[in-house]
Amino acid sequence: MNRRVFLKNTLGSLMAFIGISGGTYYYSRNIETTLLKITEETISSPKINSAFNNFKIIQFSDTHIGFHYSLEQLQELANKINLQNPDIIVFTGDLVDEPNHYNWDSRLTTILQSMKANHGKYWIYGNHDHGGYGTDIVHDVMEKSHFHLLQNNHVSIEQDGSTIVIAGVDDVMLGKPDLDATLQHTDPNLFTILLAHEPDFVEKTFSYPIDVQLSGHSHGGQVRFPFIGDLYTPAYAEKYVQGKYILNDEKLSLYVNSGIGTTRLPYRFLCKPELHVYTLKSQMS
């Protein structure tokens, strides 16, 4: 650990202790965790055909149900998603916090089923989905909820004779991500979106014909302070933490969603739960 990182961590921990143990405790635990932020992004590319102009994709991530996030809150989220009238819904991992300790309730499936998208719903595994013996349980719930798993594979979305590709890799930490298998038989000239739970996986994405990577995992840090930023992020979310990054000579865009729920600590400070709404825009005349 270098001196800069040490000072950041030390100062950050001190400020977190002072802040959360004082007047911000109630706010960070009980208020900000409920303040959903809807982030709207426009994605344009010459590879997007006019048939996909104004095509809407919604991303939600890291609900961590069971750790200070309830099914009632998930129902509210589903209602807000449906109000957006999305063409596609993508979930980028970590459905419940501890699959082996969670009291699985059929209402979870009902709520996920209620989410509607014109061209389908897709998801990928996160580390918490594979952890706690959750792999098969989470898969069963998502399948019953009509979410299609992208685990080192892809789907072609067709509209008015044009196609885009939605691809997904297995979780980096506890799965076996394989980009070669994921993109097998895809056309590199087609606009391609990759779902990858861990944002730092983008360092591997560089070498492939991928236009956009959508990730979660970081929770945006959950607790952030002015001038310091995030105090802690998990492995594989240390370089790319929150928001939009333009990479690979502007050929690749990475969007890191700050997640819906919390993990480890039930706090959010200057880091609201986030729902992403992406609108595709064609550059074709």
Side-chain angles (χ1 to χ4, degrees):
M1 182 182 296
N2 60 38
R3 182 172 181 272
R4 179 178 175 276
V5 173
F6 174 78
L7 290 174
K8 175 182 176 180
N9 290 347
T10 302
L11 180 59
S13 298
L14 177 62
M15 292 184 68
F17 174 78
I18 293 171
I20 291 179
S21 63
T24 60
Y25 173 83
Y26 182 84
Y27 171 81
S28 62
R29 182 185 176 96
N30 299 299
I31 297 179
E32 184 159 322
T33 52
T34 68
L35 299 178
L36 182 67
K37 173 185 177 183
I38 299 179
T39 301
E40 298 185 356
E41 296 279 2
T42 298
I43 299 175
S44 61
S45 169
K47 295 168 70 174
I48 299 174
N49 190 281
S50 57
F52 284 94
N53 197 44
N54 294 322
F55 193 86
K56 187 182 291 185
I57 300 171
I58 283 190
Q59 176 198 13
F60 72 108
S61 192
D62 299 272
T63 46
H64 287 264
I65 300 165
F67 184 79
H68 299 271
Y69 191 77
S70 68
L71 293 180
E72 288 73 23
Q73 289 174 294
L74 184 67
Q75 182 64 71
E76 292 178 10
L77 177 68
N79 295 340
K80 291 178 180 178
I81 288 175
N82 287 337
L83 285 173
Q84 296 290 331
N85 190 28
D87 290 294
I88 284 179
I89 297 172
V90 298
F91 175 65
T92 44
D94 285 0
L95 181 65
V96 304
D97 200 63
E98 295 183 306
N100 54 332
H101 293 141
Y102 181 65
N103 182 22
W104 293 92
D105 189 320
S106 61
R107 289 183 298 159
L108 173 55
T109 301
T110 301
I111 295 169
L112 291 171
Q113 284 177 348
S114 74
M115 298 180 182
K116 304 299 181 183
N118 302 320
H119 289 266
K121 305 184 294 186
Y122 303 91
W123 75 288
I124 56 172
Y125 280 113
N127 56 299
H128 282 257
D129 301 315
H130 277 318
Y133 305 99
T135 302
D136 294 334
I137 302 173
V138 175
H139 179 273
D140 184 56
V141 167
M142 296 302 281
E143 186 172 10
K144 289 179 179 177
S145 305
H146 309 139
F147 274 77
H148 180 79
L149 175 63
L150 296 176
Q151 186 180 19
N152 297 330
N153 59 350
H154 68 273
V155 293
S156 297
I157 308 298
E158 298 183 359
Q159 181 159 277
D160 298 333
S162 297
T163 304
I164 63 173
V165 175
I166 308 292
V169 292
D170 199 4
D171 179 69
V172 174
M173 297 178 69
L174 298 178
K176 296 179 180 179
D178 186 338
L179 270 176
D180 290 314
T182 300
L183 299 175
Q184 190 174 19
H185 305 308
T186 58
D187 183 348
N189 295 311
L190 293 178
F191 183 75
T192 300
I193 297 174
L194 177 72
L195 311 181
H197 183 65
E198 288 86 353
D200 290 0
F201 186 75
V202 77
E203 301 286 349
K204 294 186 180 295
T205 305
F206 283 159
S207 305
Y208 292 81
I210 293 167
D211 302 286
V212 172
Q213 177 177 314
L214 306 182
S215 297
H217 185 56
S218 70
H219 292 253
Q222 281 193 191
V223 175
R224 303 177 65 90
F225 283 99
F227 311 111
I228 296 176
D230 57 275
L231 302 182
Y232 166 82
T233 55
Y236 301 103
E238 297 166 304
K239 186 172 183 179
Y240 305 99
V241 177
Q242 184 185 61
K244 179 181 179 180
Y245 301 86
I246 304 297
L247 308 160
N248 203 17
D249 296 325
E250 300 188 356
K251 296 177 182 178
L252 173 63
S253 297
L254 166 66
Y255 296 89
V256 185
N257 183 276
S258 293
I260 296 295
T262 57
T263 188
R264 294 177 180 267
L265 295 173
Y267 310 118
R268 280 186 178 270
F269 188 70
L270 300 182
C271 186
K272 296 176 183 177
E274 184 173 39
L275 186 71
H276 262 108
V277 180
Y278 307 99
T279 301
L280 304 188
K281 291 290 185 181
S282 172
Q283 294 181 358
M284 302 177 68
S285 57

